[in-house]
Amino acid sequence: MRVAAINDLSGFGKCSLIADISILSSMGIEVCPVPTAVLTAQTGFPSYYMHETEDMIGQSRKEWTQMGVHFDGILTGYMPDENVVSSVLDFTKSFAAKDTVLLVDPVMGDGGKPYPNYSKGMLEGIKELVSKADIITPNLTELYLLAGEAPEKACETNVADNIEKISGLARSVMTGENQNVVVTGISSGQNELINLVVSSKEEHVIGCRYNGRSYSGTGDLFAALLIGNILNGKRIEDAAFRSADFISRAIAATTEKDRNFGVNFEEVLKRRWEE
Ligand code: PXL
């Protein structure tokens, strides 16, 4: 199995390509990275430097087309601006074959707020990408943005009362019968996190325990785990359950207090070596 991982490379934050490469390689899946940007740290840190790498997307497309390669999966994540989104759209047009699983993580915001690089143009491009995806993994803030609602409302959502509203929003962003939307990291009460798997015909509420805190990179880890489990033959609800379970173990292993540094997922991978 081989995945093209289109994401940024951040020196600190345990997110994006670091998550994609670590998780998918450990699952026996080849990862071909396409860096959307290279940063000293993810953008939640008070200061960071970002190096643009947009040309790598078009160049990877050109070189890999000449090589005639095939991808079993394509995963898209953080994109710094709308021009990058447009290059990624071209990449997917070239490489999303009939049997390629396209997972689009519409990285645009969190905690009811869009990220600093968010723009209306980016939203339009990401919506186009979403319309081509097999699996979409928005958090609640991103789901509200995709559904054309005010992102702040994501924070007012009390999950226990609103599963129906959330699955309605998830259905409103679907463009095809066979799409799955997995709404990630919905906080429900103090110590439970919910991931909601919504397809045109059914939905599954997948709960897991956590410490009530949010950390950098958990959405990226979830997306990589989800596509890895799918490519390794798991059904979407089982894949979502396994992914959530991994994240909850990584959070439990985390002692770092600053959310920007991410979770101790390495400890969970290390334990597999000790088994
Ligand atoms: O985890 C999402 C993400 C990925 N990449 C970069 C980010 C963020 C979230 O802030 O800044 C560079």
Side-chain angles (χ1 to χ4, degrees), residues 8 10 15-16 39 42-44 78 107 115 217 220:
D8 69 276
S10 283
C15 56
S16 321
L39 295 91
Q42 55 92 353
T43 64
Y78 180 89
V107 181
Y115 291 136
D220 304 340

Side-chain angles (χ1 to χ4, degrees), residues 29-267:
I29 294 168
E30 179 185 357
V31 186
C32 305
V34 183
T36 55
V38 176
L39 295 91
T40 54
Q42 55 92 353
T43 64
F45 279 89
S47 173
Y48 59 87
Y49 166 75
M50 184 171 86
H51 177 80
E52 289 182 18
T53 57
E54 192 201 327
D55 58 332
M56 280 300 291
I57 305 161
Q59 295 296 347
S60 303
R61 178 182 177 211
K62 190 172 137 230
E63 293 291 330
W64 295 352
T65 300
Q66 278 170 21
M67 283 167 69
V69 293
H70 172 266
F71 295 105
D72 303 291
I74 300 175
L75 183 169
T76 77
Y78 180 89
M79 293 172 237
D81 59 48
E82 56 196 81
N83 296 331
V84 173
V85 180
S86 155
S87 301
V88 171
L89 265 163
D90 291 341
F91 183 98
T92 57
K93 278 177 200 146
S94 296
F95 291 108
K98 278 212 169 60
D99 59 349
T100 304
V101 176
L102 174 60
L103 185 152
V104 172
D105 187 8
V107 181
M108 290 184 286
D110 203 4
K113 286 197 208 96
Y115 291 136
N117 64 323
Y118 171 80
S119 68
K120 279 261 148 27
M122 166 177 282
L123 176 62
E124 289 317 307
I126 288 195
K127 276 187 182 167
E128 197 179 336
L129 207 49
V130 157
S131 75
K132 312 219 165 354
D134 300 298
I135 304 170
I136 308 143
T137 55
N139 60 30
L140 216 44
T141 304
E142 292 155 351
L143 179 65
Y144 274 67
L145 285 168
L146 288 173
E149 302 237 357
E152 315 81 75
K153 285 208 231 153
C155 288
E156 296 158 17
T157 309
N158 177 332
V159 179
D161 307 336
N162 280 295
I163 287 292
E164 256 179 61
K165 154 121 184 151
I166 299 171
S167 62
L169 289 177
R171 288 211 162 83
S172 79
V173 311
M174 284 177 183
T175 54
E177 282 280 291
N178 298 323
Q179 284 188 319
N180 286 289
V181 179
V182 183
V183 187
T184 62
I186 310 166
S187 173
S188 120
Q190 270 295 312
N191 291 312
E192 199 193 23
L193 205 59
I194 283 178
N195 296 290
L196 183 64
V197 181
V198 184
S199 65
S200 59
K201 293 191 192 68
E202 44 184 33
E203 63 196 48
H204 302 269
V205 178
I206 292 159
C208 67
R209 290 185 64 74
Y210 86 126
N211 62 6
R213 306 183 52 194
S214 119
Y215 294 91
S216 158
T218 49
D220 304 340
L221 287 163
F222 187 90
L225 288 155
L226 193 69
I227 194 169
N229 275 294
I230 292 285
L231 292 177
N232 282 344
K234 302 288 184 284
R235 291 169 57 87
I236 184 87
E237 60 273 24
D238 189 21
F241 174 80
R242 286 164 181 265
S243 306
D245 180 59
F246 182 99
I247 307 267
S248 114
R249 279 186 283 143
I251 291 177
T254 303
T255 51
E256 172 62 58
K257 294 280 179 290
D258 183 347
R259 73 169 303 281
N260 278 325
F261 286 93
V263 294
N264 193 356
F265 72 85
E266 299 90 338
E267 177 63 26

